[in-house]
Amino acid sequence: CIRFILIQNRAGKTRLAKWYMQFDDDEKQKLIEEVHAVVTVRDAKHTNFVEFRNFKIIYRRYAGLYFCICVDVTDNNLAYLEGIHNFVEVLNEYFHNVCELDLVFNFYKVYTVVDEMFLAGEIRETSQTKVLKQLLMLQSLE
Amino acid sequence: LSCCWLIHRHSDKPAKMPAVSKGDGMRGLAVFISDIRNCKSKEAEIKRINKELANIRSKFKGDKALDGYSKKKYVCKLLFIFLLGHDIDFGHMEAVNLLSSNKYTEKQIGYLFISVLVNSNSELIRLINNAIKNDLSSRNPTFMCLALHCIANVGSREMAEAFASEIPRILVAGDTMDSVKQSAALCLLRLYKTSPDLVLMGEWTSRVVHLLNDQHMGVVTAAISLITCLSQKNPDEFKTCVSLAVSRLSRIVSSASTDLQDYTYYFVPAPWLSCKLLRLLQCYPPPEDGAVKGRLVECLETILNKAQEPPKSKKVQHSNAKNAILFEAISLIIHYDSEPNLLVRACNQLGQFLQHRETNLRYLALESMCTLASSEFSHEAVKTHIETVINALKTERDVSVRQRAADLLYAMCDRSNAKQIVAEMLSYLETADYSIREEMVLKVAILAEKYAVDYSWYVDTILNLIRIAGDYVSEEVWYRVIQIVINRDDVQGYAAKTVFEALQAPACHENMVKVGGYILGEFGNLIAGDPRSSPLVQFNLLHSKFHLCSVPTRALLLSAYIKFINLFPETKATIQEVLRCDSQIRNSDVELQQRAVEYLKLSSIASTDVLATVLEEMPPFPERESSILAKLKKKKGPGAVSVTELEDSKREGGELNGGGDRGPDTASTPSPSADLLGIRSAAPVGAAPASAGSLLVDVFSEAGDISSLTNPLIPLPCRFVCKNNGVLFENQLLQIGIKSEYRQNLGRMYLFYGNKTSVQFASFTTTVSCPGELQSHILSMHLLEPLVEGGAQIQQVLNIECLTDFSDAPLLNIKFRYGGALQNLTLKLPVTINKFFQPTEMTSSDFFQRWKQLSQPQQEAQKIFKANHSMDTEVLKAKLLGLGTALLDNVDPNPENYVCAGVIQTKGQQVGCLLRLEPNAQAQMYRLTLRCSKDSVSRRLCELLAEQF
């Protein structure tokens, strides 16, 4: 299952950190830095997977942003890789062509998108139509 | 750069203005974020933040009541500041207030703040829980989801206590909305993972399984994660899920790519759900029902067939989604390991991927093939890809892919290809990344040993290893080559000649000096006939390395020298000269000095006969599992030993040191010498004549581990029958404290290990086992989480489930090194049957009515015994309460007597127990009577309690 989700830019700024495991604040900071260090040195010829402590990171780069999901070593790499893409496509629809700034200014909405699609470290909903419908409904609420 | 679109799907649209101008949401927040982004320096940022914090603080403290919108905006700003990495020490109350707002956006910000900044402030938790409770019962699906997400995100014990019984109800209620069901399922999963003892199985469990049939695919997707987790812990209770999962899978796999509409992803029907279904099936053995099994095999075949069809899209998303299912299906095929046809097909499919242009696929194929190599059905098929894999090892750009290739070569190695594989791995080692060298070295060493038919090849390989990667050759590796040389006299001369040649190199690795010193000390005589390697030449060669070596190596060399004196009397004078010189005999290192002094004395006073006896050739080592294999397993961690290695040692265990060919028919016979866990003590038992001790100790620093051979079982202090907390064990080094709590048939024990010394304990490991029968009576005695260092005390959590009544106690084994010596102790854990008591209050008439009902002779156990402890009323009462039963007043007509009642909760049944204790103060005696609905429980409780009073 998912241990955490991180969205970072190339400079290492965190755009989203979602934790599904108990870590204290120092540990979180350390993880964020370590993930940035292992992911940014890799190029397009490398796999989208990196061993990470006792886990593995499945990541994918979109423009200047790295979307990283830390999962157990026995988890299905490709399912989570496409889980990331599915999530990014939802963000893209929701923010009408998503860019990094959207995530900065609407950080509190991004959490809602995450919770619709991933919960308790598991995949909750995979249908883009269903997620977007729900997000639009929430958007319309006061 | 940060306005770059992440993906291009609507590229006809104009470039966007930053979201600040969008106008929805909170303008003040957007302005603040812009300000922060425009700060030129860290100082400016901090200044701006402090200004904002002061502003918010004054708003919160102001006389004017804030409206919901402002409160939301300020709380959201605080959250933003926190996410920038600053501490936030106020605003929690305002966030909690937002929870009771009727407006979604305000509530959402409140919940988000709580989820991100969880605070264990108990006052606050109570308020939060109250708000959650209101939202859960609001019947408003949006609010219910917010509340459930908050519980799922925080997952604290307090929340579990408050909601663990409510959420299953929401999950299975007929009128719950689909989206709420999805959230409830995963919320429950989170609570089950953090507080399994609080989530009680019940009537809802069977209904949860049927969610696999739900019309809404999203509900199935969420529920299946919960079902998988529950199945892993309670396989029997959930086994009906197998046939349901198979039929669901079959419907998805056979559907056309458009059938599932919303759940079709790049022409692949429900890829994530398919993966989850295939994963659930991996919790179980192959279905017994022929029809179900047939249907499943059909699904797996269809998935394999689809992999061969032309792709419906060129997009990588399409192939990734399709292959995600394929790899999960292959995992299931490997898990079953019973369908030769499917295994071979899987192998062929992976073989195609080995040459795919996508690095991801090559990597995954190598990884997956590794497990296929361990199946007897597909081992040969995997071997056919050896050239491709060797090529991958040489040419892949990504080190992690090369690592997988090395793993696969290791897994596919057998007698037929060992020489080729070992040679390739050795040549790869020369350029291998530092991060994987040590593991590579171990693998080469293991393969060389396992498949050595001709031991000169083995010796060459290990010496090559030392030459190429000496720094990465651990003690285990060079100890092992020495053991093997000592045990096989056909290779001793060759080994002596080879090390002699290797030592000629001007710069040879210290490990080479160690092996060389040891082997020449034992078998130098075998090559001494050649004038080019005469005794003095050998000695001078060794001694030329002496001064560059570390203390342990020098100590080893000194031992080799004294052995030389015995082997070659003509070297005696030269060596005595060396021993006598100040740098030896007055060496500041005690060990070196002592050896020099003792060896010098020994060589001067002992007769040739005595010398020959003392310095006799080493006796053969007892055969046992290679210590290197154990090391490799240890390196990978107990949980991470791949199936390959387990299978491997199962198959190969019997021939670590020579032996017959492996045929497929011997594959499933585990050899007694294979220790699958690799934890067997490595101390050589009785191999060492005491007089030759010094040399032996060089090679077996563990020979000093006498304590590991005498491992007394420490009995359970009887006070823990009536107590849950306290110090369980203490000696000069270590204190072990426990705290435990029990609820129904579940228990949780916290173990605290305190180091009483100022020195760190090395390799501290603990294991819990249930000896003998107990295994079937107590379930999931597993230790949670790896040990965490915390000052001088570390803590460990143990979860316990009582399946049926039991009498033995589980064992806790602790191993660690203190000052080089292995400490090994085994304790009984205070898990006794009475821990699972639920007190039962009853009236006098009820009590005696039940007492009469339990009148069969075997239901009663009675004991009359002398008091061992104080007979004081208060002490007795405290003990009886600690027992876990209800102490009933005014029941027994004799006020001196005590009666108690309780129910023991096991997973399968409840056992009612009644107890009567009759003290006789005058005689200092007791009569104890127990009547239980199960006779074994009466007997066990009677035994336990008789020691308490």
Side-chain angles (χ1 to χ4, degrees):
Chain A
C1 61
I2 306 174
R3 302 308 176 133
F4 57 79
I5 300 177
L6 282 182
I7 306 177
Q8 303 176 311
N9 68 12
R10 299 222 303 149
K13 278 225 157 68
T14 306
R15 293 309 182 204
L16 173 89
K18 182 84 192 171
W19 308 94
Y20 297 102
M21 218 176 143
Q22 292 291 345
F23 297 108
D24 61 31
D25 290 347
D26 292 347
E27 186 67 16
K28 286 180 184 171
Q29 195 48 43
K30 230 165 83 192
L31 287 166
I32 287 173
E33 285 162 19
E34 273 179 49
V35 170
H36 182 249
V38 296
V39 165
T40 44
V41 295
R42 299 170 64 82
D43 66 33
K45 284 266 163 55
H46 286 90
T47 62
N48 293 85
F49 327 125
V50 209
E51 286 182 28
F52 184 79
R53 300 192 182 183
N54 290 328
F55 306 101
K56 63 189 175 193
I57 304 276
I58 314 287
Y59 74 96
R60 193 154 165 190
R61 187 178 158 179
Y62 293 88
L65 285 187
Y66 289 90
F67 285 69
C68 309
I69 292 194
C70 176
V71 294
D72 294 339
V73 279
T74 52
D75 281 329
N76 188 314
N77 296 37
L78 292 177
Y80 282 107
L81 184 59
E82 284 318 304
I84 292 174
H85 189 75
N86 200 28
F87 173 56
V88 173
E89 286 194 351
V90 167
L91 289 176
N92 201 46
E93 285 296 324
Y94 183 53
F95 290 111
H96 309 291
N97 283 343
V98 69
C99 67
E100 186 176 347
L101 270 188
D102 292 322
L103 307 188
V104 176
F105 281 94
N106 299 290
F107 70 95
Y108 56 96
K109 293 184 183 164
V110 179
Y111 281 101
T112 305
V113 182
V114 174
D115 280 350
E116 283 299 319
M117 301 186 74
F118 306 95
L119 192 64
E122 299 287 341
I123 294 175
R124 175 181 177 276
E125 178 56 83
T126 61
S127 156
Q128 292 186 19
T129 322
K130 288 232 161 62
V131 173
L132 285 164
K133 217 170 113 193
Q134 174 74 3
L135 290 172
L136 288 181
M137 189 278 285
L138 295 176
Q139 183 93 329
S140 71
L141 295 174
E142 242 309 294
Chain B
L1 247 179
S2 46
C3 323
C4 259
W5 295 336
L6 298 185
I7 41 182
H8 300 269
R9 281 179 74 191
H10 309 284
S11 43
D12 51 330
K13 289 192 185 169
K16 280 201 299 190
M17 292 300 287
V20 78
S21 62
K22 270 209 215 151
D24 64 332
M26 298 162 272
R27 190 163 167 78
L29 173 72
V31 170
F32 175 58
I33 296 176
S34 283
D35 283 0
I36 296 286
R37 288 178 55 81
N38 291 332
C39 286
K40 295 273 181 290
S41 65
K42 195 81 199 157
E43 290 72 35
E45 184 185 307
I46 291 175
K47 213 171 136 199
R48 179 67 186 87
I49 285 172
N50 284 337
K51 187 179 146 205
E52 193 63 41
L53 285 174
N55 173 42
I56 299 173
R57 215 183 286 261
S58 76
K59 296 282 190 212
F60 283 169
K61 280 201 184 138
D63 315 326
K64 232 173 59 190
L66 287 177
D67 60 12
Y69 171 80
S70 309
K71 221 184 274 173
K72 169 182 88 170
K73 183 178 70 185
Y74 293 129
V75 167
C76 202
K77 281 183 180 177
L78 284 179
L79 182 58
F80 183 77
I81 294 170
F82 175 80
L83 291 171
L84 284 176
H86 302 269
D87 282 339
I88 294 297
D89 54 6
F90 69 101
H92 300 81
M93 211 50 215
E94 284 73 13
V96 174
N97 283 340
L98 285 176
L99 298 184
S100 41
S101 164
N102 285 326
K103 293 187 173 155
Y104 165 75
T105 52
E106 291 169 15
K107 214 184 250 300
Q108 188 249 330
I109 297 295
Y111 272 123
L112 180 58
F113 186 93
I114 302 294
S115 303
V116 175
L117 282 97
V118 227
N119 195 313
S120 52
N121 182 329
S122 58
E123 190 63 18
L124 219 49
I125 285 282
R126 213 166 40 81
L127 292 172
I128 295 167
N129 277 356
N130 226 358
I132 292 177
K133 203 176 194 138
N134 288 336
D135 282 335
L136 285 183
S137 52
S138 68
R139 308 191 134 264
N140 173 334
T142 306
F143 290 178
M144 289 173 85
C145 279
L146 276 179
L148 289 167
H149 292 183
C150 180
I151 303 173
N153 284 324
V154 177
S156 70
R157 194 150 176 95
E158 289 85 353
M159 287 188 177
E161 275 163 0
F163 304 111
S165 54
E166 175 64 17
I167 293 166
R169 267 202 291 279
I170 297 175
L171 177 58
V172 298
D175 57 350
T176 304
M177 299 269 294
D178 291 329
S179 64
V180 178
K181 273 189 198 162
Q182 284 173 281
S183 299
L186 293 173
C187 183
L188 188 57
L189 170 63
R190 172 70 197 253
L191 295 186
Y192 185 72
K193 279 186 177 170
T194 49
S195 309
D197 52 320
L198 296 180
V199 178
L200 302 175
M201 302 296 123
E203 185 255 342
W204 60 276
T205 17
S206 58
R207 302 181 53 185
V208 160
V209 177
H210 285 275
L211 290 175
L212 286 173
N213 269 336
D214 203 283
Q215 286 186 346
H216 190 287
M217 300 269 276
V219 171
V220 190
T221 304
I224 193 169
S225 294
L226 173 67
I227 296 168
T228 305
C229 180
L230 293 170
S231 302
Q232 279 161 350
K233 302 280 166 57
N234 323 277
D236 284 344
E237 220 159 312
F238 287 86
K239 63 173 179 258
T240 49
C241 72
V242 172
S243 61
L244 292 172
V246 169
S247 62
R248 189 89 207 197
L249 180 70
S250 156
R251 268 179 284 157
I252 296 172
V253 168
S254 57
S255 66
S257 59
T258 47
D259 285 359
L260 302 174
Q261 292 168 4
D262 292 356
Y263 288 89
T264 298
Y265 179 81
Y266 287 89
F267 305 104
V268 181
W272 293 281
L273 179 54
S274 305
C275 289
K276 284 187 176 195
L277 286 163
L278 287 161
R279 187 149 283 234
L280 170 60
L281 292 171
Q282 288 170 58
C283 301
Y284 289 91
E288 280 161 19
D289 180 328
V292 176
K293 182 158 182 203
R295 208 161 170 202
L296 177 56
V297 168
E298 217 168 90
C299 285
L300 295 171
E301 277 169 346
T302 311
I303 294 170
L304 286 166
N305 291 341
K306 280 191 179 173
Q308 295 296 329
E309 288 170 10
K312 294 198 175 69
S313 155
K314 287 217 164 64
K315 296 256 190 193
V316 69
Q317 284 78 19
H318 171 70
S319 71
N320 279 348
K322 206 165 119 178
N323 291 328
I325 304 174
L326 177 64
F327 278 108
E328 204 61 66
I330 292 177
S331 296
L332 181 63
I333 292 170
I334 296 170
H335 168 77
Y336 287 162
D337 197 12
S338 60
E339 299 284 330
N341 172 39
L342 290 176
L343 281 159
V344 170
R345 283 193 66 185
C347 184
N348 293 340
Q349 181 59 52
L350 295 174
Q352 287 181 19
F353 285 158
L354 287 182
Q355 319 226 32
H356 202 278
R357 64 190 162 77
E358 285 265 335
T359 316
N360 285 343
L361 283 183
R362 296 197 302 276
Y363 174 91
L364 294 172
L366 289 165
E367 189 183 61
S368 190
M369 244 189 201
C370 238
T371 38
L372 271 179
S374 65
S375 163
E376 56 177 302
F377 301 115
S378 48
H379 183 79
E380 288 303 318
V382 170
K383 273 169 61 186
T384 60
H385 300 285
I386 184 166
E387 298 302 333
T388 319
V389 182
I390 287 172
N391 196 41
L393 187 66
K394 286 178 176 160
T395 58
E396 284 288 351
R397 279 188 48 190
D398 184 339
V399 52
S400 60
V401 185
R402 294 199 297 273
Q403 164 101 58
R404 291 292 152 268
D407 288 347
L408 178 53
L409 283 180
Y410 177 77
M412 68 162 68
C413 192
D414 62 23
R415 207 170 286 286
S416 71
N417 56 18
K419 285 203 174 169
Q420 184 189 7
I421 286 177
V422 166
E424 292 293 348
M425 287 174 108
L426 268 177
S427 81
Y428 173 62
L429 250 181
E430 309 220 25
T431 54
D433 302 73
Y434 295 108
S435 56
I436 63 173
R437 282 195 182 183
E438 190 182 350
E439 197 183 318
M440 287 287 297
V441 166
L442 285 174
K443 286 184 166 158
V444 170
I446 290 167
L447 293 179
E449 177 180 337
K450 217 197 261 187
Y451 301 112
V453 182
D454 118 41
Y455 277 85
S456 53
W457 173 73
Y458 170 74
V459 170
D460 284 341
T461 303
I462 301 297
L463 293 186
N464 268 328
L465 262 188
I466 297 177
R467 213 173 2 236
I468 294 168
D471 282 344
Y472 299 89
V473 173
S474 57
E475 288 181 341
E476 285 85 352
V477 173
W478 69 263
Y479 287 180
R480 190 67 184 155
V481 68
I482 288 174
Q483 281 178 27
I484 288 182
V485 169
I486 285 175
N487 286 11
R488 305 200 62 98
D489 43 20
D490 53 335
V491 78
Q492 289 160 354
Y494 180 81
K497 181 165 156 284
T498 318
V499 291
F500 179 79
E501 279 160 12
L503 286 171
Q504 307 283 340
C508 63
H509 195 273
E510 189 163 336
N511 281 335
M512 187 72 87
V513 179
K514 288 179 181 161
V515 175
Y518 197 101
I519 289 183
L520 292 181
E522 292 292 326
F523 309 113
N525 55 326
L526 300 175
I527 56 168
D530 185 332
R532 283 167 302 177
S533 51
S534 69
L536 263 179
V537 174
Q538 285 185 39
F539 171 74
N540 287 332
L541 181 60
L542 280 179
H543 199 53
S544 69
K545 315 283 180 193
F546 187 91
H547 300 281
L548 296 170
C549 290
S550 64
V551 168
T553 308
R554 282 196 249 170
L556 184 149
L557 285 177
L558 288 178
S559 300
Y561 297 170
I562 185 73
K563 288 225 155 191
F564 265 48
I565 293 183
N566 176 46
L567 289 179
F568 318 115
E570 66 266 38
T571 59
K572 181 169 171 177
T574 318
I575 290 173
Q576 283 183 331
E577 199 58 42
V578 167
L579 293 174
R580 200 176 292 128
C581 79
D582 276 1
S583 64
Q584 309 297 356
I585 213 160
R586 289 181 204 281
N587 194 297
S588 59
D589 184 271
V590 178
E591 178 68 27
L592 292 181
Q593 190 189 92
Q594 187 177 356
R595 287 195 190 206
V597 172
E598 287 180 1
Y599 292 163
L600 185 60
K601 203 72 186 165
L602 181 68
S603 67
S604 330
I605 59 170
S607 71
T608 329
D609 283 354
V610 171
L611 212 55
T613 315
V614 170
L615 300 170
E616 201 176 16
E617 191 180 302
M618 291 298 293
F621 290 90
E623 294 297 339
R624 61 164 177 271
E625 186 196 19
S626 163
S627 50
I628 343 177
L629 195 56
K631 160 114 180 184
L632 183 69
K633 289 170 190 165
K634 204 161 67 199
K635 224 171 110 45
K636 297 213 149 180
V641 177
S642 72
V643 185
T644 330
E645 270 139 19
L646 284 180
E647 291 294 317
D648 250 15
S649 50
K650 196 163 45 171
R651 284 193 309 201
E652 312 287 355
E655 46 173 309
L656 286 173
N657 208 352
D661 277 327
R662 180 174 62 81
D665 50 333
T666 62
S668 57
T669 350
S671 145
S673 74
D675 180 356
L676 292 184
L677 291 173
I679 50 166
R680 197 181 306 173
S681 157
V685 186
S691 53
S694 59
L695 255 186
L696 235 189
V697 172
D698 286 334
V699 176
F700 282 104
S701 54
E702 294 188 338
D705 291 343
I706 301 307
S707 60
S708 66
L709 301 176
T710 54
N711 175 13
L713 177 63
I714 295 153
L716 183 61
C718 72
R719 65 180 181 281
F720 280 102
V721 171
C722 297
K723 259 177 75 173
N724 285 336
N725 307 326
V727 175
L728 180 64
F729 171 81
E730 182 158 335
N731 65 12
Q732 294 99 321
L733 306 177
L734 178 72
Q735 186 191 57
I736 304 173
I738 59 158
K739 265 172 78 172
S740 37
E741 47 193 27
Y742 293 87
R743 214 178 275 241
Q744 313 272 13
N745 69 323
L746 300 173
R748 170 177 294 215
M749 185 177 283
Y750 298 84
L751 295 152
F752 302 89
Y753 304 95
N755 180 345
K756 292 171 66 182
T757 73
S758 53
V759 188
Q760 209 196 340
F761 294 156
S763 358
F764 194 94
T765 54
T766 59
T767 43
V768 166
S769 57
C770 292
E773 259 196 356
L774 191 56
Q775 204 131 37
S776 57
H777 296 248
I778 293 192
L779 189 73
S780 59
M781 288 296 298
H782 57 260
L783 295 161
L784 278 185
E785 296 177 32
L787 291 169
V788 191
E789 287 278 355
Q793 198 185 55
I794 49 181
Q795 184 191 330
Q796 204 173 25
V797 185
L798 176 69
N799 282 340
I800 303 155
E801 183 177 1
C802 173
L803 294 180
T804 105
D805 66 294
F806 58 93
S807 49
D808 236 342
L811 301 178
L812 171 70
N813 177 262
I814 299 154
K815 284 200 187 79
F816 59 93
R817 287 185 173 281
Y818 172 71
L822 182 69
Q823 306 290 323
N824 184 354
L825 43 110
T826 305
L827 310 162
K828 283 197 171 189
L829 281 177
V831 182
T832 45
I833 185 67
N834 64 293
K835 301 292 181 193
F836 302 96
F837 256 131
Q838 300 283 107
T840 317
E841 295 291 344
M842 52 178 79
T843 61
S844 175
S845 59
D846 280 349
F847 183 89
F848 282 105
Q849 193 190 342
R850 297 206 189 169
W851 185 264
K852 279 197 201 96
Q853 281 165 2
L854 297 170
S855 58
Q856 288 171 32
Q858 65 271 28
Q859 287 176 325
E860 184 183 272
Q862 192 174 70
K863 215 163 186 170
I864 298 170
F865 53 95
K866 211 159 172 50
N868 288 315
H869 302 277
S870 156
M871 293 187 80
D872 175 68
T873 320
E874 290 313 308
V875 176
L876 285 180
K877 275 188 179 166
K879 280 183 181 172
L880 288 167
L881 284 172
L883 183 66
T885 51
L887 181 56
L888 306 176
D889 285 325
N890 305 321
V891 168
D892 199 287
N894 179 351
E896 301 291 323
N897 293 348
Y898 301 89
V899 293
C900 303
V903 175
I904 287 180
Q905 302 271 352
T906 71
K907 187 170 177 229
Q909 64 179 147
Q910 303 190 331
V911 182
C913 305
L914 302 176
L915 175 156
R916 193 175 192 195
L917 182 70
E918 302 162 78
N920 181 338
Q922 226 171 0
Q924 290 283 303
M925 297 282 283
Y926 290 105
R927 178 161 70 186
L928 172 69
T929 315
L930 274 140
R931 287 191 178 185
C932 305
S933 57
K934 197 166 175 189
D935 28 352
S936 55
V937 175
S938 305
R939 285 198 304 275
R940 179 59 190 151
L941 282 175
C942 194
E943 278 164 31
L944 275 175
L945 290 177
E947 294 165 10
Q948 298 299 315
F949 300 104

